[in-house]
Amino acid sequence: MKAVVQRVTQASVTVGGEQISAIGRGICVLLGISVEDSQKELEHMVRKILNLRVFEDESGKHWSKNVMDKQYEVLCVSQFTLQCVLKGNKPDFHLAMPTEQAESFYNSFLEQLRKSYRPELIRDGKFGAYMQVHIQNDGPVTIELESPAAGAANSDPKQLSKLEKQQQRKEKTRAKGPSESSKERSAPRKEDRSASSGAEGDVSSEREP
């Protein structure tokens, strides 16, 4: 599952010349559903979207608050073209979930989004319709999100968090340079050479003419 999240001052959806949905300050989410997506990917994406920190706090600090913290609105629009694969210059959409299955999946996504937040603040377009989406991007701020691959070991949120922490520790270790213990292991062992002046010295002397 892929999503493009834009921070907006306002956004709306028009179908057939009629505006069917609109929000003020908040985020607009363009969502592309893959043939491999399951409930696990759905829940992951809902959690990431609602917790994405793209707003400033009361003191003006950027990237501190999510849409729920600010009690802003969310506009969701289904967009299968996010699952595009180019064949030369021609878009191919075989990775997108088929329409009949995708509509049910998308409705489940909206339901989960409303359960996790305030349902009255969630708006959406019209699935399968030809829409004009008007977005007033604030910043501009645009974030791309992608759920872990289906069946991947890191699709478990707890495992993903664990792997992220391990990677952070590795980066800190590299930044500090080699540890003392590794320096000791790599340093020449002078004491070994001096201690071997007995037997090894005798052997080397026997080899000399």
Side-chain angles (χ1 to χ4, degrees):
M1 186 180 292
K2 296 180 180 180
V4 173
V5 181
Q6 299 187 61
R7 188 179 71 187
V8 302
T9 53
Q10 62 181 27
S12 63
V13 177
T14 300
V15 176
E18 178 185 356
Q19 186 180 96
I20 64 169
S21 192
I23 64 170
R25 193 82 188 274
I27 56 176
C28 179
V29 180
L30 307 178
L31 188 74
I33 304 170
S34 162
V35 290
E36 296 183 346
D37 286 332
S38 67
Q39 183 67 23
K40 182 178 293 186
E41 283 73 46
L42 185 154
E43 293 175 356
H44 172 89
M45 189 59 74
V46 167
R47 184 169 57 253
K48 295 297 286 187
I49 288 170
L50 293 179
N51 287 282
L52 187 62
R53 297 188 295 179
V54 293
F55 300 100
E56 60 185 29
D57 63 15
E58 294 72 18
S59 65
K61 183 180 179 182
H62 296 290
W63 320 115
S64 299
K65 298 292 183 179
N66 59 50
V67 70
M68 297 188 294
D69 294 329
K70 304 294 285 187
Q71 294 294 291
Y72 287 158
E73 295 176 288
V74 180
L75 174 62
C76 291
V77 178
S78 176
Q79 188 170 353
F80 73 92
T81 58
L82 286 176
Q83 294 293 341
C84 166
V85 175
L86 288 179
K87 291 187 175 180
N89 293 320
K90 182 180 179 180
D92 179 89
F93 306 107
H94 72 276
L95 294 180
M97 185 177 287
T99 303
E100 301 77 11
Q101 185 182 355
E103 183 172 11
S104 175
F105 193 93
Y106 178 68
N107 288 333
S108 297
F109 171 83
L110 290 174
E111 183 181 353
Q112 183 66 34
L113 203 63
R114 291 181 172 121
K115 284 182 178 180
S116 303
Y117 188 29
R118 294 173 54 186
E120 70 274 14
L121 296 182
I122 306 296
R123 304 280 188 272
D124 71 295
K126 185 176 182 180
F127 186 91
Y130 190 90
M131 297 174 277
Q132 286 76 48
V133 183
H134 304 273
I135 301 171
Q136 187 167 304
N137 196 318
D138 179 31
V141 173
T142 301
I143 307 294
E144 295 181 2
L145 299 177
E146 185 170 1
S147 61
N154 64 349
S155 60
D156 183 349
K158 292 183 179 179
Q159 181 67 14
L160 181 61
S161 177
K162 182 179 179 181
L163 292 173
E164 288 174 347
K165 290 179 180 178
Q166 289 176 347
Q167 183 62 30
Q168 289 172 359
R169 286 196 293 268
K170 289 180 180 178
E171 290 174 355
K172 288 180 180 179
T173 301
R174 285 197 296 267
K176 291 180 179 179
S179 64
E180 291 300 323
S181 58
S182 63
K183 288 180 181 178
E184 290 176 0
R185 287 194 297 269
S186 61
R189 301 182 63 180
K190 297 180 180 179
E191 66 280 8
D192 291 343
R193 284 198 290 268
S194 61
S196 64
S197 58
E200 288 186 8
D202 294 341
V203 171
S204 62
S205 62
E206 290 175 357
R207 291 178 180 175
E208 293 177 0

